[in-house]
Structure formats: C-alpha cells, structure tokens
Amino acid sequence: MRSARSLEVAEARRDPVIRVTAMPADTNAYGDIFGGWLLSLMDSGAGLLAARHSRGRAVTIALDGMKFHLPVKVGDEVSVYAEMKRTGRSSMSIGIEAWRRHRTEDEEVKVTEATFTFVAIDEAGRPRPIDQESEQE
C-alpha cells in the first residue's frame, strides 16, 4: 500500500522523463551513487524536454543551484522529472528534480534538484529561434 505522501507526490507530477535503477558500476569510492552519474541523468532528462520543446537540437549552457539532499544507493529506482520554467527567443530554463525509491518500498524521496539552461541551435551550432508554436504546448 502506498503512503499518503507518495500518493500526493505521484498525483502532483506527470510521468518522469527518465527512470533507471542505480547499479554498482555507478558508485563512488564510498559505495554511494556517484553525483556525476545523477547529474548526467538530470542533464539528459532536461535535454529531452529541451529538444521536444524547441523541435530540434538544444545544448546545455548553464546549471544553477544543484544541492544533494540525500544519497542514492545501489538498487534504488531513480526518477527524473522535468518542467519548462521559462522560454526565451532561443533559450529555455528547465527545472529538474531527481527522486529515489528503494526497490522494496513505495515512498519516493527527492534527492536533488537544479535548473538547467539550454539554447536551441541550428545545424551550424548557432543559436536559433524557438518555434512559437512549440511555446503554446
């Protein structure tokens, strides 16, 4: 049975952009999941939303305010959630949260969050305008 908190969390958010299980190869020297692995998942999740929103290639240009609240352990299910915060002419600000769930439990706990900034680029790698139609979604 799910706790009231985990039900509230599930109802308050849409589906994750990425969900994976933390594996032994993803650990640091202390046996916890390496922060860089988690950062990579978050960047990938933000990139998926940025590409879909801009309808093309988008690249990370900045990352703001990441803080690790709790460790992730081997076997934990990690879910990454993305939310478009702001869209400019060619840039996007995307809020990302990473949550963990122990494989035998129902409750999720937020382990970190950050804001990523992406820029939509053309084939030559130059900033390009984001399609106005995609902003209405």
Side-chain angles (χ1 to χ4, degrees), residues 68-124:
F68 294 98
H69 305 295
L70 294 167
V72 175
K73 302 292 186 181
V74 171
D76 285 350
E77 176 186 277
V78 177
S79 298
V80 176
Y81 299 91
E83 176 185 7
M84 187 63 61
K85 297 283 192 179
R86 183 192 63 77
T87 302
R89 189 179 84 68
S90 63
S91 67
M92 296 156 279
S93 179
I94 300 171
I96 295 288
E97 293 183 350
W99 291 68
R100 74 156 195 229
R101 183 186 64 80
H102 187 275
R103 66 185 313 116
T104 62
E105 298 172 3
D106 289 328
E107 186 173 0
E108 288 184 292
V109 213
K110 185 175 11 175
V111 293
T112 189
E113 58 191 310
T115 300
F116 286 75
T117 303
F118 279 75
V119 169
I121 60 172
D122 63 18
E123 296 78 23

